[in-house]
Amino acid sequence: MKRIKLIVAYDGTNYCGWQIQNNGRTIEEVLNEALTALFHEKVAVIGASRTDSGVHAMGNVAVFDTESRIPGDKICFALNQRLPDDVRIQASEEVPLTFHPRKANCVKTYEYKILNRKIDMPLQRLYSYFCYFNLDLEKMQKAASYLIGEHDFKSFCTVRTQAEETVRTIYSLNVTKDADDMIHIRISGSGFLYNMVRILTGTLLEVGSGTRRPEKMKEIIAAKNRDMAGRTAPPEGLFLLHVGYEGERETV
């Protein structure tokens, strides 16, 4: 028996998220089916991040166990031949049987894209959120600065259980805009709560539009009340860029 680690990229448009569920096709389901067919044995992957419906990924991580003799670094090529065009394994390797993608210490990096111009661009409609009114990046970055560090982010998540631990650490949060009118909100942290990045983005959008002051972010954090934060931004603008483990170098 050996354990294989996969770096998984996918366009989440046509999927109901990562985790297997009854209401539609998921990335986990597609991977399990392709791996089971490839190895002629029952295979079930474990993912590092359970992305939501419509969310994309460039570098999610998954592991699975197999009796196959195919070298770990060759599995990605064989597996990609069995996957749909909107899911691709970027790399594969054998890892210790003790490695677990959700239990090992890691840094997750997400990016949310906002197309900020007067007229939408059809080619970007599935991979960004369109905002036609001007956003003040300086105010958004100031508001973002209050989020860096260890905080209780209960105001910025959809809490699924009362017992859920809501303290997380954000290492960096940057708001930039490129020449194509695309705003990039890039955030790295020890982990993220359910809908946390999208709610943070929705709140920053309100700051950028002038409906909230940047300093209000401190009050929202202290309140520990979801009703104090902004709306949940749509999923299509969100990308999981990278899941980095100790000893690895980020490539995105």
Side-chain angles (χ1 to χ4, degrees):
M1 181 71 69
K2 61 184 179 184
R3 178 158 293 186
I4 302 297
K5 174 186 170 186
L6 306 174
I7 307 297
V8 191
Y10 47 87
D11 179 338
T13 303
N14 296 319
Y15 296 92
C16 295
W18 173 274
Q19 192 171 15
I20 289 177
Q21 49 192 288
N22 296 325
N23 65 341
R25 197 87 163 132
T26 67
I27 303 296
E28 186 177 34
E29 181 181 3
V30 166
L31 290 174
N32 288 348
E33 290 177 356
L35 286 164
T36 297
L38 175 63
F39 296 128
H40 303 290
E41 61 182 8
K42 187 69 173 177
V43 176
V45 299
I46 301 172
S49 185
R50 299 167 180 170
T51 53
D52 295 335
S53 177
V55 174
H56 316 292
M58 296 174 68
N60 205 348
V61 170
V63 299
F64 67 92
D65 296 333
T66 180
E67 300 284 356
S68 172
R69 295 183 180 180
I70 300 176
D73 62 339
K74 304 298 182 184
I75 288 175
C76 59
F77 301 106
L79 183 55
N80 280 335
Q81 295 179 31
R82 296 177 176 270
L83 290 172
D85 292 341
D86 51 6
V87 181
R88 279 294 177 270
I89 308 304
Q90 301 300 296
S92 59
E93 64 174 330
E94 185 173 351
V95 293
L97 287 170
T98 55
F99 175 77
H100 192 292
R102 290 201 297 272
K103 294 180 180 179
N105 291 330
C106 68
V107 176
K108 295 181 180 179
T109 301
Y110 282 88
E111 183 171 279
Y112 196 96
K113 296 183 179 182
I114 303 164
L115 185 61
N116 190 206
R117 60 204 304 261
K118 293 301 181 184
I119 299 175
D120 199 358
M121 175 59 69
L123 296 178
Q124 296 288 356
R125 74 189 190 283
L126 301 178
Y127 309 105
S128 65
Y129 169 66
F130 173 61
C131 179
Y132 67 88
F133 48 82
N134 290 328
L135 294 171
D136 189 322
L137 264 67
E138 187 175 340
K139 289 182 178 179
M140 292 173 72
Q141 185 61 62
K142 184 175 181 180
S145 69
Y146 295 117
L147 297 165
I148 297 172
E150 183 181 275
H151 302 286
D152 187 330
F153 286 98
K154 190 171 184 178
S155 293
F156 298 95
C157 71
T158 303
V159 181
R160 289 173 285 190
T161 67
Q162 291 299 315
E164 186 172 11
E165 173 57 55
T166 52
V167 174
R168 294 291 186 274
T169 301
I170 292 179
Y171 302 121
S172 64
L173 205 177
N174 295 302
V175 184
T176 59
K177 189 174 185 178
D178 62 28
D180 295 323
D181 297 319
M182 190 70 77
I183 293 175
H184 303 264
I185 299 176
R186 183 174 289 203
I187 179 170
S188 293
S190 60
F192 296 92
L193 300 162
Y194 184 52
N195 284 339
M196 179 174 162
V197 177
R198 290 166 58 193
I199 295 171
L200 287 174
T201 297
T203 309
L204 290 173
L205 279 165
E206 293 182 3
V207 171
S209 68
T211 58
R212 291 180 189 258
R213 294 178 293 104
E215 295 78 13
K216 189 72 174 179
M217 199 66 79
K218 294 185 289 185
E219 297 178 29
I220 298 172
I221 295 170
K224 302 177 186 178
N225 182 347
R226 172 66 186 91
D227 293 336
M228 291 288 289
R231 67 185 181 90
T232 304
E236 60 269 17
L238 183 59
F239 295 74
L240 172 57
L241 296 186
H242 184 260
V243 181
Y245 296 91
E246 188 173 356
E248 296 180 341
R249 184 178 65 181
E250 183 171 347
T251 56
V252 176

